[in-house]
């Protein structure tokens, strides 16, 4: 369990504007307010990101990239009135939840990449760019076939494949696409069967 002191987000009593005013300005897109708001949590989030990524993922994922991702997500949430908080402690709780979810997604993504790479080593078929000693002509043919296969999918199915390979869970992908999770599971099942006859590794990865 991560336990952080909230000193980094303690409000300055001499500040000329309240925390609520800062949030309101940030919500309207004020760059200065956004920077000040980010300063309320950035150090805490970076520490949390490093702890959650652990020594195995740190060489592959920059904790600062996670921090920047939090900044972007917070900005989007503020502008769409998705997030509501009136105290610094609430802001910290929100961003720590966000970083936990994003770190978990990085873990899933790296696991998928490792699994695909391992299969490429043994099968020499996916992804063709990572195989060693493969015939260049066969690699090009494979890539052309894969592009053709992806082109046959509609926009939603292509986006589903992209999200799953990025490490999104079914529930997270459903939220991203505005779909019912159960409906997406049915869609994924059909998609896997469709892909299995052509790209089994890809079908298993999603």
């Amino acid at each position: 369990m991560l336990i952080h002191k909230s000193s980094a987000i303690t409000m300055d009593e001499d500040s000329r504007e309240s925390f609520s005013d800062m949030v309101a300005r940030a919500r309207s897109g004020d760059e200065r307010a956004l920077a000040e708001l980010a300063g309320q949590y950035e150090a805490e989030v970076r520490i949390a990101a490093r702890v959650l990524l652990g020594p195995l993922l740190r060489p592959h994922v920059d904790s600062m990239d996670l921090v920047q991702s939090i900044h972007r997500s917070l900005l989007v949430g503020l502008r769409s009135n998705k997030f509501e908080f009136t105290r610094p402690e609430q802001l910290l709780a929100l961003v720590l939840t966000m970083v936990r979810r994003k770190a978990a997604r990085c873990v899933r993504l790296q696991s998928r990449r490792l699994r695909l790479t391992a299969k490429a080593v043994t099968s020499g078929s996916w992804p063709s760019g990572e195989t060693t000693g493969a015939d260049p002509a066969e690699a090009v043919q494979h890539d052309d076939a894969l592009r053709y296969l992806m082109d046959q999918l509609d926009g939603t199915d292509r986006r589903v494949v992209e999200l799953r390979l990025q490490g999104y869970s079914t529930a997270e992908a459903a939220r991203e696409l505005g779909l019912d999770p159960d409906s997406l599971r049915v869609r994924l099942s059909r998609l896997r069967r469709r892909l299995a006859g052509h790209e089994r590794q890809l079908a298993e990865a999603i």
Side-chain angles (χ1 to χ4, degrees), residues 145-189:
L146 180 58
R147 278 193 291 271
Y148 175 79
L149 177 62
M150 294 300 291
D151 285 344
Q152 303 311 301
L153 304 179
D154 62 31
T156 300
D157 281 346
R158 281 198 300 273
R159 185 62 180 144
V160 168
V161 171
E162 291 170 1
L163 290 174
R164 292 291 288 166
L165 290 178
Q166 289 171 19
Y168 281 65
S169 68
T170 302
E172 290 169 338
R175 283 196 298 270
E176 182 76 14
L177 297 168
L179 299 175
D180 176 74
D182 289 335
S183 297
L184 183 57
R185 289 186 184 94
V186 173
R187 190 181 194 112
L188 268 171
S189 180

Side-chain angles (χ1 to χ4, degrees), residues 113 115-143 199 201:
R113 285 175 174 168
R115 188 168 72 231
L116 286 172
T117 301
K119 288 182 177 179
V121 170
T122 57
S123 70
S125 60
W126 170 264
S128 61
E130 295 183 14
T131 58
T132 57
D135 182 84
E138 291 181 0
V140 171
Q141 185 178 11
H142 173 275
D143 289 345
E199 282 291 346
Q201 284 86 1

Side-chain angles (χ1 to χ4, degrees), residues 15-26:
S15 177
R16 62 184 177 82
E17 61 182 339
S18 69
F19 180 75
S20 295
D21 290 335
M22 185 197 306
V23 173
R25 290 174 53 220

Side-chain angles (χ1 to χ4, degrees), residues 76-87:
V76 171
L78 283 172
R79 288 180 172 174
S80 63
N81 293 314
K82 179 181 179 180
F83 301 141
E84 293 289 343
F85 42 83
T86 58
R87 301 193 310 275

